[in-house]
Amino acid sequence: MAKDKYNRFLLLLGLGILVVFLVSVFIGRYPSPPGMLPHILFEDRLARQLVLNLRLPRLLVAFLLGMILSAAGSVLQMIFRNPLVEPGFLGVTQGAAFGAAISILYFAKHPLVIELSATFFGLLALGASYYLSIRIRYGGWVLRLILSGVAVSALFSAGVGVLKYVADPLTELPEITFWLLGGLYSVTWRDLLFVLPFALIGIVVVYVMRWRVNLLSLNDDTAFSLGASLTRERLIILITTVAAAAALTSISGVISWVGLIVPHISRRIFGASAEKSIPAAMLLGGGFTMIADDLARTLLAGEIPLGILTSAIGAGLFIYLMISMSFKVRRDG
Amino acid sequence: MDKMLTLESVYFSYSEEDPVVLADLSLDIPAGKVTAILGPNGTGKTTMLHIMLGLLKPFQGVVTVAGKSHKDYSKRELSQLIGLVPQFESIPFNFSVIEYVLLGRSPYLNPFQLPGDLDLEITEKALKEAGISHLAEKPVTEISGGERQLVHISRVLTQKTKILLLDEPTAHLDLENQNRILSLLKRMAAHGVTTVITTHDPNAAIFAADHFVLMNQGNIAAEGELGEVITTENLSMIYKTPIRVERTTGYTMVVMDKMEEHG
C-alpha cells in the first residue's frame, strides 16, 4: 500500500476508533438500554460517576489490551515465522492463569494481589520457556522456543487443573472459572495505572522497532549478514511485548484470538511489511476489543465473559479468512 | 594478486562431538574477481561461506577480511563489507519485492530507524540493475524461482558491500536465468566487487569465474586459474565419476561420460 494511501487509511481508522470510544462511553444498561444521551451526564450524578469511575477506565483498558495483544501477536508471528502463533504461545497465558488461581486459593483474593501473582507467573512462564530453549541441544532457535513454549504451557495448564480440582466448588472454583473466561467487568483506574507502564513500554518498543521486525523474520544467516544482533534484538522485542501482554492478562483474564486474528487482518489490508501492518494491527486490535467489550456488557441482561466473545468472533473471522482466496502465507522454510 | 579475504589454517566442527568439517584449510580470495568454489555435496562449501561471513567461528585458525580480523569489525561494519545470498532463503510472509529488497539497507540503519528516500533510491537502482523493476510491487511469493533469485541478489546489491558471497546462486534455474544471474555477477566484479560463489555446475563456474577452488572432504584439492584447476583428472577424482574437460579455441566445456554398470 502506498505511503499516502496508508497514512490516510490510518487516520480514518484512528477517527473510527475515536467514534467507537465516544459511543461506547454512552452505551450500556443505565439508565435503560441501549444507553444514555450525552446531556444526561450533566443532569444525573450517578450517570457521571458510572462513566468516570467504571466505563472510562474499562474502555481505556479494553483499548490497551487489544493494542498489546495484537502487537504481541504480530511480533511473535513474524519472529517465529509462524502465522499461527499468538501471545499465549510462550506459556504466558497459562502461567498468568496459574498465578491468578493460586492467588485466589492460597494468597489473597484482593484484585491487586491476583494481578501481581498473575503477572509474576506469566513472566515466570516466559523466563522458563526461554531458559528451556537454551538447554535444548538440537534444532534452530525457533523450533527450540516452540517446543519450550508448548511444554511450559502444558505444565502450567496441568497446574491450573490441579488447583481447580482442589478448589472449593462453591466459592473458589467459580471465581477461578470466571477469571479464566476473561472479562473487564471489575476494571478500575487503579488497574489501569498498574498496567500502564508495561503497556507503554511494549507499545513504544514495538513501534520504534517495527521495520526491524521484518529483518528479524528472515533466515538467521540472512538476518546476520544484514547486521542484526539476532538474540539481543529478538529478546528485547519479545520480553517487552510479552511482559505487557502478561500484565494486561492479569487484569482481563484469558482473552483469546485477538492476538492471532488481528495481525492476519492487518497484513491482509496493509501488506506484510511490519512497518505498516504493526501500527495498523494495534489500532485494529484496540478497536476490536472495545467493540467486543461493548457487546459483552450490552447484549444480554447479564454480562457475557469477554473471552467467550473474542473467541467466537475471532474464530468466525479466522474461518472466513482461511477459506477466502486472499489468505496466503508461505510455509516453505 | 590483491587479497580481499584470507583463511589461514582454519579448523571447524559444529560441536565437540561432531566430525571436523574443515581441517587445516588455507585460502586466499582475490579482490575484484569472481571466485567459484566447486566440490561434491557435504564437502564444507556452505560452512566455509558462513565462516567467511563471520556467522560461524573456526575453533582454530585466522580469517582476515580486507586486512583485518573479523573480531576487529563491529557487526554493523562487517555487514557493510560482506553480503550473503544463502542457498535456501524462505520468506514466510507476503512482502512486496521492493519491501523485501529494501531490507538490504539494514546495515546502514540503527535498530530504531526507518529507511529514508536515499535508501529507497538505492533499492530502485538495484532492481533496475537486476532488470526486475517491473516486479517492484509484486508479492515475493508470487514470482518465479528465477525472478526470486534476482530479488535476493538485488537485496544484496542494495547492501553496497565490497564482498558478495552467493551459495549455489544458479541451482534449479533454467539456462536463461542462469545467464542473467552469472552475467550480473560478472558485471559486479568488473565494478570491483569481490564475488565468491559455490556451485555444483563446473560449466556455470567456467562461464562466470576468474579464479577456481576445488574442495574435497573439508580441504582444498586444487586452486588457481581455469587451466590449472578444471582438468579431467581433478574433476574425475573429486566427483568420483567419469568427466571429460574439452578445450576448443577460447572455450572450455565439462562433459560427463556414462558410468559403466557394475554387477
Side-chain angles (χ1 to χ4, degrees), chain A residues 97-112:
Chain A
F98 180 81
I102 206 167
S103 175
I104 290 166
L105 251 64
Y106 299 114
F107 301 152
K109 287 178 187 151
H110 190 278
L112 185 64

Side-chain angles (χ1 to χ4, degrees), chain A residues 77-78 81 208-212 214-215 219 221-222 224-229 267 272-273 328-330 332-333, chain B residues 50 54-55 75 79 86 88-90 92-95 99 106-107 109 111-112 114-115 141-142 148 155 159:
Chain A
Q77 286 174 11
M78 290 198 79
R81 306 161 59 80
V208 296
M209 291 186 78
R210 64 194 188 282
W211 189 73
R212 199 76 174 178
N214 290 333
L215 181 63
N219 287 1
D221 48 3
T222 308
F224 178 90
S225 76
L226 290 168
S229 298
R267 279 197 298 271
S273 174
K328 286 175 185 163
V329 176
R330 284 179 68 84
D332 59 356
Chain B
H50 283 169
L55 180 64
K75 201 167 268 183
S79 61
F88 303 106
E89 166 123 36
S90 69
F93 294 96
N94 225 357
F95 295 114
E99 282 169 349
S106 305
L109 304 167
F112 310 112
L114 296 177
T141 49
E142 289 175 20
R148 197 171 311 157
R155 194 257 300 144
Q159 216 173 325

Side-chain angles (χ1 to χ4, degrees), chain B residues 125-184:
Chain B
K125 210 172 148 200
L127 291 176
K128 199 172 167 193
E129 229 166 295
I132 52 168
S133 295
H134 60 289
L135 299 176
E137 297 302 329
K138 273 215 153 199
V140 278
T141 49
E142 289 175 20
I143 57 178
S144 72
E147 289 170 337
R148 197 171 311 157
Q149 192 63 311
L150 284 164
V151 167
H152 295 318
I153 292 173
S154 305
R155 194 257 300 144
V156 88
L157 292 182
T158 62
Q159 216 173 325
K160 296 262 175 214
T161 55
K162 286 185 179 156
I163 304 167
L164 290 184
L165 309 176
L166 300 104
D167 200 359
E168 305 275 359
T170 54
H172 315 300
L173 296 186
D174 61 27
L175 289 176
E176 186 201 346
N177 279 309
Q178 286 190 33
N179 196 337
R180 283 170 81 176
I181 283 163
L182 295 174
S183 300
L184 177 62

Side-chain angles (χ1 to χ4, degrees), chain A residues 40 47-49 51 56 63 65 77 79 135 142 165 175 179 182 202 248 261 329:
Chain A
I40 294 178
R48 214 160 40 240
Q49 279 184 343
V51 166
L56 273 180
F63 184 63
L65 176 68
Q77 286 174 11
I79 288 182
R135 296 298 301 270
V142 171
Y165 185 72
E175 202 169 338
W179 193 92
L248 277 146
I261 195 69
V329 176

Side-chain angles (χ1 to χ4, degrees), chain B:
Chain B
M1 176 180 84
D2 282 344
K3 295 176 285 187
M4 182 53 93
L5 250 165
T6 304
L7 278 72
E8 227 178 300
S9 300
V10 163
Y11 287 79
F12 180 82
S13 81
Y14 282 91
S15 73
E16 281 174 22
E17 298 89 42
D18 288 323
V20 173
V21 182
L22 304 176
D24 197 17
L25 186 146
S26 296
L27 176 66
D28 293 330
I29 301 292
K33 295 196 182 306
V34 178
T35 297
I37 298 171
L38 293 128
N41 290 326
T43 201
K45 299 189 294 293
T46 300
T47 303
M48 191 165 76
L49 284 193
H50 283 169
I51 284 176
M52 288 175 177
L53 181 69
L55 180 64
L56 297 176
K57 309 263 179 287
F59 66 78
Q60 204 176 306
V62 181
V63 183
T64 315
V65 185
K68 289 201 291 184
S69 164
H70 267 149
K71 57 179 184 292
D72 296 329
Y73 293 101
S74 69
K75 201 167 268 183
R76 203 162 156 191
E77 286 168 341
L78 209 55
S79 61
Q80 292 172 3
L81 195 60
I82 312 178
L84 170 79
V85 175
Q87 190 177 353
F88 303 106
E89 166 123 36
S90 69
I91 306 171
F93 294 96
N94 225 357
F95 295 114
S96 70
V97 165
I98 197 159
E99 282 169 349
Y100 173 74
V101 174
L102 192 57
L103 290 173
R105 297 300 297 159
S106 305
Y108 300 92
L109 304 167
N110 70 47
F112 310 112
Q113 214 177 341
L114 296 177
D117 290 342
L118 176 68
D119 301 302
L120 203 61
E121 205 177 295
I122 291 168
T123 303
E124 283 166 353
K125 210 172 148 200
L127 291 176
K128 199 172 167 193
E129 229 166 295
I132 52 168
S133 295
H134 60 289
L135 299 176
E137 297 302 329
K138 273 215 153 199
V140 278
T141 49
E142 289 175 20
I143 57 178
S144 72
E147 289 170 337
R148 197 171 311 157
Q149 192 63 311
L150 284 164
V151 167
H152 295 318
I153 292 173
S154 305
R155 194 257 300 144
V156 88
L157 292 182
T158 62
Q159 216 173 325
K160 296 262 175 214
T161 55
K162 286 185 179 156
I163 304 167
L164 290 184
L165 309 176
L166 300 104
D167 200 359
E168 305 275 359
T170 54
H172 315 300
L173 296 186
D174 61 27
L175 289 176
E176 186 201 346
N177 279 309
Q178 286 190 33
N179 196 337
R180 283 170 81 176
I181 283 163
L182 295 174
S183 300
L184 177 62
L185 297 180
K186 283 173 85 160
R187 285 203 301 277
M188 296 306 300
H191 285 99
V193 176
T194 302
T195 306
V196 182
I197 61 170
T198 67
T199 179
H200 285 292
D201 181 357
N203 288 318
I206 292 166
F207 181 87
D210 314 292
H211 185 77
F212 298 82
V213 177
L214 263 188
M215 278 187 79
N216 194 26
Q217 293 176 348
N219 215 319
I220 309 294
E223 183 199 353
E225 291 188 2
L226 176 64
E228 303 167 83
V229 178
I230 307 296
T231 64
T232 299
E233 297 74 34
N234 281 346
L235 294 185
S236 299
M237 180 192 71
I238 297 294
Y239 288 104
K240 296 184 176 65
T241 195
I243 291 173
R244 260 181 307 125
V245 178
E246 299 280 346
R247 293 182 208 278
T248 57
T249 322
Y251 202 79
T252 302
M253 194 169 65
V254 175
V255 183
M256 199 162 58
D257 287 329
K258 199 174 172 187
M259 279 178 112
E260 283 175 26
E261 283 187 29
H262 298 283

Side-chain angles (χ1 to χ4, degrees), chain A residues 134-213:
Chain A
I134 296 173
R135 296 298 301 270
I136 296 175
R137 296 296 302 274
Y138 55 88
W141 188 81
V142 171
L143 177 69
R144 285 185 280 139
L145 261 178
I146 288 174
L147 292 175
S148 311
V150 168
V152 169
S153 201
L155 272 179
F156 278 109
S157 182
V160 171
V162 170
L163 292 175
K164 280 167 84 175
Y165 185 72
V166 300
D168 182 328
L170 294 178
T171 57
E172 293 159 341
L173 188 58
E175 202 169 338
I176 294 173
T177 306
F178 210 62
W179 193 92
L180 289 175
L181 290 172
L184 300 174
Y185 50 91
S186 60
V187 166
T188 60
W189 286 108
R190 185 192 52 75
D191 294 321
L192 180 65
L193 287 178
F194 172 73
V195 295
L196 203 56
F198 291 99
L200 287 180
I201 291 170
I203 289 167
V204 169
V205 168
V206 173
Y207 186 78
V208 296
M209 291 186 78
R210 64 194 188 282
W211 189 73
R212 199 76 174 178
V213 173

